[in-house]
Amino acid sequence: TDVLKVSYSDNISELKLYNLVGQQVLSKKVNANETQIDMSSLPSGSYMLEVSSGSTSKIVKLIKK
């Protein structure tokens, strides 16, 4: 929907959201284990979320309805 809740076992340093064309549509600096992203301004569709924590980076595919 409009708010994405993100949590990770380690401290999250940064979140980057990309559309499937590879364009970065959102970036957020974080210094916590949990955060929220307001996706209300983004159109419905598929996105890739990059979660960075220290030197580790994970990418998760998500679908906004």
Side-chain angles (χ1 to χ4, degrees):
T1 55
D2 289 338
V3 177
L4 175 66
K5 296 179 183 179
V6 181
S7 61
Y8 191 63
S9 57
D10 293 328
N11 210 29
I12 300 169
S13 56
E14 186 175 21
L15 297 174
K16 292 181 182 177
L17 190 65
Y18 300 92
N19 61 21
L20 291 186
V21 181
Q23 297 169 318
Q24 183 175 313
V25 294
L26 188 139
S27 179
K28 181 177 180 180
K29 297 280 185 191
V30 182
N31 190 19
N33 290 35
E34 295 182 2
T35 189
Q36 294 184 352
I37 299 174
D38 181 8
M39 297 180 65
S40 61
S41 63
L42 299 174
S44 298
S46 298
Y47 294 90
M48 303 296 283
L49 177 66
E50 181 180 4
V51 181
S52 300
S53 175
S55 60
T56 305
S57 185
K58 304 271 185 192
I59 296 179
V60 180
K61 184 177 180 180
L62 59 100
I63 298 173
K64 181 187 182 233
K65 294 184 179 180

